[in-house]
Amino acid sequence: MSVDGYIDDASPERLRLSSPADFDRVDDVRASCDAILVGAGTVRRDDPKLLVKSESRRAKRVARGRSPDLTKVTVTWSGDLDPESRFFTTGDAPKLVYTASPGAQELAGRLDGRAEVIDAGDPVSFPAMLDDLGVRGVRRLMVEGGGGIHTYFMTAGLVDELHLVVAPFLIGDPSAPRFVGSGVFPQTPKRPMRLEEITRIGNLALLRYLVGGERG
Ligand SMILES: NC(=O)c1ccc[n+]([C@@H]2O[C@H](COP(=O)([O-])OP(=O)(O)OC[C@H]3O[C@@H](n4cnc5c(N)ncnc54)[C@H](OP(=O)(O)O)[C@@H]3O)[C@@H](O)[C@H]2O)c1
């Protein structure tokens, strides 16, 4: 995020806040996870591939009996997802779409086998989604945005660890997306997160927090 807490600007083009060194660190974290989740808003706006880029990290995953790429996960209420987006068309690992009951069947028909569509209740239950991912062997899930998804995970107390990378500029536009929106967060001045690591990545700062929250 920018120093003033934005994760994008308001222009139609994707704003890259990270440096090549930080993208490489992100690739390393991705490689250590079983699955990666972004919200449908990020699939629509950024059209990310969500793959592990480094060949050596891919090879190491294979040597450990895993797929070179992570299982991709997204969540949508509206079902507004383009089957041609790179979420669906890149990588060989499973793609999972959790959606609300009313539109699940229609969405499965529209995606036509490009992803498994899972009816996650009405409204979508995030704890049930995480339980289902656990049953599928996902132990470590990386959540990579955007702001709506961060807000939901943080307010629901479903986060163990937060990697916050601060880019050395400000966006200053209230219409741009923020790292989190408004909400009632379990992490309060009385129950703060624990700052576990501060690392300089060139001109960026990585702050790694253990979240704790209501679960301590
Ligand atoms: N700087 C970074 O590291 C970074 C990383 C990722 C994204 N971003 C930025 O973040 C922005 C996108 O953020 P965003 O908040 O618009 O989108 P988002 O968080 O990616 O996704 C929000 C969407 O997720 C679905 N969703 C959220 N809660 C749900 C629930 N309880 N039940 C069912 N579906 C639910 C909804 O999809 P439907 O609308 O389909 O119902 C909702 O619109 C973009 O500007 C992107 O560039 C930045």
Side-chain angles (χ1 to χ4, degrees), residues 1 6-9 14-15 17-18 38-46 74-81 98-100 123-126 144-150 152 177-178:
M1 64 174 206
Y6 292 97
I7 56 171
D8 196 359
D9 60 19
R14 179 179 184 179
L15 175 70
L17 291 105
S18 286
V38 294
T42 296
V43 174
R44 287 192 289 268
R45 175 141 167 144
D46 292 353
T74 191
V75 57
T76 175
W77 185 85
S78 69
D80 178 12
L81 287 169
Y98 290 85
T99 192
V124 168
S125 163
F126 277 48
E144 241 189 62
I149 285 296
H150 290 157
Y152 200 94
R178 281 189 173 272

Side-chain angles (χ1 to χ4, degrees), residues 154 162 164 179 187-188 191-195 209-213:
M154 294 292 289
L162 173 63
L164 190 67
F179 160 59
Q187 300 78 35
T188 62
R191 297 187 70 94
M193 303 183 287
R194 176 167 144 194
L195 181 59
Y209 293 96
L210 299 183
V211 177

Side-chain angles (χ1 to χ4, degrees), residues 33-51:
C33 293
D34 302 305
I36 183 164
L37 182 150
V38 294
T42 296
V43 174
R44 287 192 289 268
R45 175 141 167 144
D46 292 353
D47 194 17
K49 291 185 195 156
L50 306 175
L51 305 175

Side-chain angles (χ1 to χ4, degrees), residues 71-76 95-101 103-105 107-108 111 115-121 124 128-129 132-133 136:
T71 295
K72 295 191 215 178
V73 185
T74 191
V75 57
T76 175
K95 289 132 195 156
L96 307 175
V97 179
Y98 290 85
T99 192
S101 308
Q105 217 176 348
L107 181 59
L111 294 180
E116 184 177 347
V117 175
I118 298 131
D119 177 343
V124 168
M129 173 176 76
D132 185 67
L133 287 170
R136 293 166 190 267

